Amino acid sequence: MEWLQTLPPPSHLSPSALSFLDHRLHTQLALAEAPTFVAELQTQCSELDRSLDELTRLLGAGLAAYASFSGEIHGLFGDVTERLIALSSTVVPDGGRGEEDGKGFREELATLAKEVARLETVRVYAETALKLDTLVGDIEDAVSFTMSKNIRKHSSQNSQEMHMLAIKTLKTTEGILISITKAHPQWKHLVSAVDHRVDRALAILRPQAIAEHRALLASLGWPPPLFALNSLDSDARTANQVANPLLTMQVDLKVQYSENFLALCNLQELQRQRKARQLEGHDREVALRQSLWVIEELVNPLSLASQRHFSKWVDKPEFIFTLVYKITRDYVDSMDELLQPLVDEAKLLGYSCREEWISAMVTSLTTYLAKEIFPSYISQLDEESVIGIQSSARISWLHLIDLTIAFDKRIKSLVEHSGILLSFDDDIMQKISSLSVFCDRPDWLDLWAEIELGDALGKLKPDIQDENNWRKKVEGVVLSSYTDDHKSPLISNAFLRHLASVIDRCRSLPSVILRSKFLRFAGVPIIRNFFDSILIRCQEAEGLTALTDDDAVIKVTISVNAAHYFESVLKEWSEDVFFLEMGMDEDDKTELESNSNSYGELLPESSRRVIFDDEIKKLEEFRTEWVEKISLVILRGFDSHSRDYVKNKRQWQKGEEGWTVSKTLIEALDYLQSKMSVVEVSLNDRDFVGVWRSLAAGIDRLIFNGILISNVKFHNSGVERFGSDLEVLFGVFGAWCLRPEGFFPKSSEGLKLLKMDENRVQECMGGGKRWLKENGIRRLSVTEAEKILKNRVFRS
């Protein structure tokens, strides 16, 4: 046994070799098989030696090829130099022939310049290609080294060093590729070949780096046991933070973790730079923005450990939200204190560890909700729909939504607590909102809107049927800053409260598109239901008495008041940025145009600015229509009561002694005052103005057409009597304006013509339109003025 040699002292062996021998030769049987094992090792060493010889040969061949190529380039430059010297010595301009020689010289010189430039490009290309080949070879060697699992592997520290070396070389390679892309875009084949080799190396390097990072986290005791988080009281927060493995690391482990953390961050930044170069000229924002790998590696094991508990809490989702929030809150400060400086050192721009931690935790929760919780609740809804009873499952669904919204609000406050200002960017909001589960499942959003709408309408049904809600008025303006007294019934506030609740829940959705869609499906139908309710009441009142009864008029005014108040609140809400940002894009327009609204009409082009524009327009049209109807009913009544007054043409030939107003007009004026007092008390001020102005215009037309231009002969006493009647009529409307005669333009100007003396009448008859304007008659045409004046009688 002379060929057997004793082992060197243990102190002369590396730790990895000692570990290897202890592992392979730990039993008596293994010692007996030592010769076979030695033979295997010698065979492996021989194979490695052959591989090394082959690599050495390839390197030598490459260097020889480069030397040969360099010699050829040197020879070409020498040839170009000789030709330039020959040209300079032979070209001597002589007389007329000198010009031709000079022209030929310039052409040949330009050709030579191009050739020199081409050769220079070839030289730069060759040097760049060789440099890239060397760098990529170094990368591949480093990756191969980290993959090798033989006894020559020294330690994990050396593996980490090789990772850092590979990443550094990758950065150098990427810098060269970026410069090539900018300076020599035609070298795309070279860039593509290098990218292909680098991608293969990265496909090995990234999983290795992540695997080492996970192993290091496991050695640190991450994830921490969840039993430390079982206490959901805020008093336990300090104790939980003490148990945070990231804050209790020893110095050597902290250094090792920091180096590993930086390596992974640098690798991610390198990947980002490569994508930025490869996607140049395209929409890169979505592709370039990725979550921090190091934060994902912290969240993933925590998420897996939490899901073991989540499976027990499907029917008690409040426990799920509470646990996720507690984990998120208890470790968020360590992200700022420990990890953020490392991210800054790695020069990862635009990353906040606090935001990334919260985002990753919310994403893990959202994923679980989408896979387990929501499908479970939807199956319950489906079961109830088959049975025909839809109550408990809908209540559970709404309870789940309440929990989700409350969780998002707590998370939002957690983000804002660090001083991070949340913008209206949908991408940021989706990252920190568990309601982003609806982004990929629009059918779930439709279901939620349907349940929310059904719940609101179900609660509104008894309010609509309660007549007290239509009789009693809203005490003070609660939901609007307008100071007008709308005299609105309580029912309008009931509808607005439920609409406000839907809008408030909608605000939590992380996307403008989702918010807009939810409001269209759950909010707009509430407004339409309100519109249908007030319209039905008005139609019932009109159908019973044609609005001739005071109670019917009051019923209509109540609905008009409700519509006015509702419209005012919607207009005020629509000025909020929340609604303004819902300006509908082309997709929304197409979707809306494909569906007619509940009134059987297509949505008009002018209603695309704010989501409530169509409903506001409907309410405006409703008010205008029914205010006009109230005015028309009163006008018809006035016409009926004043019929004898208008038809009595002889009364204008003499006065009526002892009366300041015609007896036949008194009844009509009494009717007018009676009806207007009812309307004034029951109708809001703004719409009441519309009623009396419309009524004044109608009475003006009635008097003008029925008396002034109906071939009635006006004597002096009749003119005085007509003037007195108009003054009394104006007095009725004087309670609502300062110059009521301005709202009876034709009657006032007709009276003005009748009061003129005979000479001025003759001037008017011959002056035409110009004379009328000069004398303040602007509402009457020349024909109308002449017709009135022809019936003026001046003889007694």
Side-chain angles (χ1 to χ4, degrees), residues 5-15 17-18 21:
Q5 296 181 4
T6 59
L7 288 172
S11 59
H12 292 177
L13 295 175
S14 66
L18 281 174
L21 292 172

Side-chain angles (χ1 to χ4, degrees), residues 140 145 178 192 216-217 290 294 308 340 437 450 558 616 647 697 729 755:
E140 292 172 340
F145 176 84
I178 291 174
S192 177
L216 179 58
L217 285 176
Q290 290 185 338
V294 287
R308 300 188 189 99
Q340 189 61 47
V437 68
E450 178 188 342
I558 289 173
I616 291 173
K647 287 184 176 181
L729 177 63
K755 286 183 176 182

